[in-house]
Amino acid sequence: MQNNQLVLNQTENSWWFILAGGKILVSHMSCAIPFGSLQELPFPDILPESVLPIGEYDASPCYLVDLGQEEQDMGMGEFRPLRYLLSRTDESLFNMAGRAVQIANFLDTHRFCGRCGNTMTHIDWELALKCYDCGHRCYPRISPCIIVAIRKDKRILLANHVRHNQPGNEIFTTLAGFVEAGETLEQCVQREVFEEAGIKVKNISYVKSQPWPFPHSLMMGFVADYDSGDIHIDPNELQAADWFSFDQLPLLPPEGTLARALIEKIRHRCR
């Protein structure tokens, strides 16, 4: 894949999002992400083709450095899964780390044109790739998802998803799912809740959104009230689900997640 030549300022303080083998370098310094100039940090030789500007954080430029599958001893931290940064850094910096991971995934999975199979080329004025043989252009994939917390009287519906089922460490969280073609967000809420838990909801209201780079989602958070039906879980999606009072909650998702924010919103309403 071709890239445009990048001239790096050797003395400018920058944020460095360094990826290898699907993990991100977490710094031993005070901030989780390496910060400093190329002169100050113990970088090995970095080719401009390995570095991509991805935005700004705290008035300083941010760069993605993708080392491929091979982890290297960078002398300033260790490689960790992206989820490690949840609750260990502020939301904006975590979102930038997520952006770096998503862009790296996009570049890795779009090296060749999906229409004609020829090599893709970076476009120099936007984050996109173009095939100059057939004209096909593509952008980083973003998948819209809904996530919803449901209240019944002074209880909340929480579920242990199949993907979260770790014996002895079962996290219970809200319901979520991908938006389908031709569907509104509210319709998606109703469909996903009914498919996964067998109940109907009402009074659906939007709360907030969160970029969720696992791998490339945009989560749109809602709260809703129980309307009717008994819980009947989809065993392909859920391991268990039940109504919980707030004085007897199971293990919850960590702070910093939209799921936890929605749970806390329902907790406030129940008070």
Side-chain angles (χ1 to χ4, degrees):
M1 184 186 297
Q2 301 175 30
N3 196 1
N4 298 292
Q5 188 70 16
L6 175 66
V7 179
L8 293 172
N9 186 326
Q10 298 288 319
T11 60
E12 182 179 40
N13 284 334
S14 305
W15 298 93
W16 301 92
F17 297 85
I18 304 167
L19 308 180
K23 298 180 180 180
I24 187 166
L25 184 70
V26 177
S27 174
H28 291 321
M29 298 181 289
S30 58
C31 190
I33 300 300
F35 178 75
S37 69
L38 280 175
Q39 281 186 344
E40 297 170 336
L41 298 177
F43 277 111
D45 292 337
I46 295 181
L47 297 175
E49 291 80 8
S50 303
V51 181
L52 185 70
I54 58 172
E56 282 193 357
Y57 171 75
D58 198 23
S60 294
C62 299
Y63 293 103
L64 163 63
V65 181
D66 191 352
L67 302 177
Q69 294 302 310
E70 190 72 25
E71 293 184 19
Q72 301 179 25
D73 184 3
M74 305 293 288
M76 51 181 156
E78 57 186 320
F79 287 94
R80 297 271 195 165
L82 179 61
R83 287 182 186 271
Y84 177 83
L85 293 178
L86 273 172
S87 304
R88 288 182 168 90
T89 185
D90 69 69
E91 182 179 356
S92 296
L93 189 58
F94 175 79
N95 287 343
M96 185 61 73
R99 173 174 167 81
V101 170
Q102 289 179 84
I103 291 172
N105 177 267
F106 165 64
L107 297 176
D108 182 56
T109 56
H110 290 77
R111 290 176 290 173
F112 301 99
C113 178
R115 178 182 290 167
C116 72
N118 284 298
T119 301
M120 300 292 277
T121 302
H122 286 214
I123 297 176
D124 58 6
W125 66 89
E126 62 179 347
L127 183 57
L129 298 172
K130 182 175 180 178
C131 173
Y132 284 93
D133 289 278
C134 71
H136 177 60
R137 182 182 302 190
C138 55
Y139 298 86
R141 176 180 173 185
I142 300 174
S143 302
C145 302
I146 63 88
I147 181 167
V148 56
I150 304 164
R151 179 182 67 166
K152 181 180 182 182
D153 301 321
K154 291 193 175 184
R155 294 178 294 166
I156 185 171
L157 179 67
L158 297 173
N160 176 229
H161 294 251
V162 170
R163 62 183 179 275
H164 293 151
N165 185 36
Q166 301 176 8
N169 192 39
E170 296 91 348
I171 293 177
F172 278 72
T173 185
T174 52
L175 301 184
F178 289 100
V179 181
E180 295 186 352
E183 189 174 53
T184 68
L185 297 176
E186 292 79 7
Q187 288 171 336
C188 183
V189 169
Q190 293 173 323
R191 176 183 57 76
E192 283 289 345
V193 171
F194 187 74
E195 287 179 355
E196 292 190 1
I199 65 171
K200 295 184 178 181
V201 294
K202 60 183 179 182
N203 302 329
I204 300 168
S205 61
Y206 174 76
V207 178
K208 61 182 293 189
S209 62
Q210 181 182 40
W212 194 241
F214 303 108
H216 38 63
S217 303
L218 175 61
M219 306 295 293
M220 286 157 281
F222 292 82
V223 293
D225 291 328
Y226 167 81
D227 185 19
S228 62
D230 297 321
I231 295 176
H232 295 287
I233 65 170
D234 176 359
N236 295 314
E237 297 285 344
L238 304 181
Q239 190 74 20
D242 207 344
W243 298 103
F244 292 88
S245 61
F246 280 93
D247 58 355
Q248 292 182 320
L249 288 175
L251 181 63
L252 299 177
E255 298 285 350
T257 61
L258 183 51
R260 185 61 175 266
L262 296 175
I263 291 169
E264 296 304 324
K265 190 170 185 67
I266 293 293
R267 185 200 299 267
H268 179 74
R269 285 191 174 187
C270 288
R271 286 174 179 167

